[in-house]
Amino acid sequence: MPDVSVVIPTTGRPSLAEAVATARAQQGVSVHLVVVCDLAEVPTGVTDLRDQIDEIVCTGGGRRGSYARNLGVRHAAPGSHIAFLDDDDAWLPHKLAAQLPVLERLAGEGWLPVVSSRTLQRKAGSSPLPTAVPTTLIADGALPEDYLFRRRHLGVGRQSLPTSTLLTTADLARQCPWDETLPRHQDWDWLVRAARIPRAKIVQIEEATAIYTVGSPGSISASADWRTSWDWAQRWEGVWAPETFSDFIAAQTLRYAVQARDGEGVREMVRAIRRNRPPSARNAVLAALGLVPRSALERVAMRGSRTTGGGDPLQADGTR
C-alpha cells in the first residue's frame, strides 16, 4: 500500500510538470499521486504526464482549490496518509521521508497530527533563496492563528505553514474538509479549523522540505481584495484572541484597503480594530506599507534578497 497519497489541484499551469516530478521522486516513501483538474476536461499538459500520475480527476471547472483538494482526498489510496502540493510549488527529495516518522509517532500516541516544515522561497521563474523560512516555527500547543498573525515578522522569514508542506492523516483530512465556499485564505482557514478538532496537533519540522513559489501567474495573493479577507475574518471575531484578530486586520485587510485607496474599507477596518485591541507595532508597519505601490516594494525586495537573503515583506500571505 502507498504510504502517502499526494493531492495536487491544477488549472493546467506548465509548472505542474515540476510538481509532479518532485512528488514522484520522493525517496524512501511510496506515493499515490492524484492530480485534480479544476476544469471541464483534462488538458493536454496533464495528459502528457499521465505515465507519472496514478489518478487524474476533473471537478467540472471553476470549483476552486478547496473543492479540488476535497475531491483528491476522496480519491486517496486506502490506508495512506494525505499530503497537499500546489501546482506551482515543488518538493525536495526527502520531503515525505523527513515528515512521515513524525506523523506516525504522533498518530501512534493518539494525536490527529498535521506536520509542516520550513521552505525555500522563490519568485516565479527564479531560483530559490538560500535561507530556509520561516525564521520561527510554531510552538507546541500554539493555535495556528496566534502563530501566523500575531506580531508578524517583516520580510521573507515571517511565520508560515504553506499548503505544500502539509502532511496529515486520512482521518483528519476527512474530519476537516477544506471550505469550498472560500475564494481566499483557504489554507489558513483549514489550519484554524483543524486545530479545533479534539486531539489535533500541528507541528513543524526544522528542515526545509518544499520550494514555495511567490507571484505565480493568476495568483490571487497579489490582489488588494480587502472585502474577501474581511468576509473571512468576521467568522473569527470573538473566537480568536482580540490581539490576534486586530493584528490580522492591520496586516491583511487594512493594508489591502489602504493599497486600494478605499476610504470606506479603511474606516471599517479601523472600527474593527477599536472593538478589539491595538495592533502590534510590526503589524501596524505592515498596514502602513499599503501606501507603497506593491511593484516598488517587490523591486526593492528582490535587490535585497540577492545581496542579503531578505525578501518582500508582503510575501507568503497564505492566500491560495
Side-chain angles (χ1 to χ4, degrees):
M1 300 297 294
D3 298 302
V4 178
S5 289
V6 183
V7 177
I8 308 179
T10 188
T11 54
R13 286 193 281 204
S15 55
L16 174 67
E18 180 190 24
V20 167
T22 61
R24 184 55 65 194
Q26 290 300 291
Q27 297 173 353
V29 176
S30 172
V31 301
H32 179 82
L33 190 53
V34 183
V35 170
V36 185
C37 303
D38 191 21
L39 299 162
E41 56 186 24
V42 179
T44 302
V46 177
T47 303
D48 292 343
L49 302 172
R50 189 178 294 276
D51 61 342
Q52 300 179 61
I53 301 170
D54 296 293
E55 288 192 63
I56 300 172
V57 292
C58 288
T59 67
R63 305 301 294 269
R64 299 194 289 245
S66 290
Y67 183 93
R69 293 185 188 100
N70 289 337
L71 182 59
V73 168
R74 293 197 291 272
H75 283 261
S80 68
H81 302 302
I82 307 293
F84 299 102
L85 175 58
D86 287 337
D87 69 352
D88 56 347
D89 294 336
W91 282 350
L92 299 175
H94 64 282
K95 194 267 185 191
L96 294 177
Q99 291 180 305
L100 197 57
V102 179
L103 183 90
E104 294 190 332
R105 174 178 59 80
L106 291 171
E109 295 171 358
W111 297 101
L112 292 172
V114 178
V115 182
S116 179
S117 73
R118 286 191 163 106
T119 67
L120 301 177
Q121 284 200 16
R122 67 183 176 190
K123 293 286 290 183
S126 301
S127 299
L129 298 177
T131 304
V133 294
T135 304
T136 304
L137 303 181
I138 190 169
D140 185 35
L143 289 170
E145 65 269 20
D146 293 337
Y147 167 70
L148 290 167
F149 308 138
R150 193 180 295 185
R151 296 183 294 277
R152 294 173 77 179
H153 296 294
L154 303 181
V156 73
R158 71 168 49 184
Q159 305 94 306
S160 61
L161 296 161
T163 303
S164 294
T165 67
L166 302 181
L167 173 68
T168 190
T169 61
D171 284 346
L172 183 58
R174 294 187 174 107
Q175 283 190 53
C176 186
W178 294 67
D179 187 335
E180 298 173 6
T181 69
L182 291 176
R184 193 169 199 156
H185 305 321
Q186 298 163 359
D187 48 358
W188 285 345
D189 178 83
W190 187 83
L191 288 162
V192 168
R193 289 186 296 105
R196 284 163 168 76
I197 291 177
R199 300 296 293 173
K201 190 178 187 68
I202 299 173
V203 300
Q204 200 169 18
I205 66 173
E206 292 189 2
E207 60 194 290
T209 69
I211 299 172
Y212 177 86
T213 304
V214 178
S216 294
S219 172
I220 62 173
S221 63
S223 64
D225 180 6
W226 70 268
R227 294 181 187 275
T228 300
S229 290
W230 176 230
D231 287 344
W232 180 70
Q234 289 178 88
R235 303 180 179 193
W236 302 107
E237 187 171 10
V239 179
W240 294 350
E243 297 85 354
T244 299
F245 186 81
S246 287
D247 268 5
F248 176 84
I249 296 302
Q252 202 75 29
T253 56
L254 177 56
R255 169 164 61 88
Y256 285 160
V258 170
Q259 187 177 342
R261 306 298 191 263
D262 189 321
E264 175 192 350
V266 170
R267 289 189 292 272
E268 188 166 357
M269 296 308 97
V270 169
R271 288 194 294 268
I273 289 171
R274 286 175 175 170
R275 289 196 300 271
N276 289 274
R277 295 282 191 278
S280 65
R282 290 175 181 172
N283 290 49
V285 169
L286 281 168
L289 285 173
L291 293 168
V292 182
R294 188 183 183 99
S295 58
L297 283 172
E298 289 182 345
R299 286 195 299 271
V300 172
M302 290 311 295
R303 285 198 297 270
S305 68
R306 286 193 290 270
T307 58
T308 66
D312 179 0
L314 305 186
Q315 287 180 3
D317 279 14
T319 53
R320 297 185 181 186

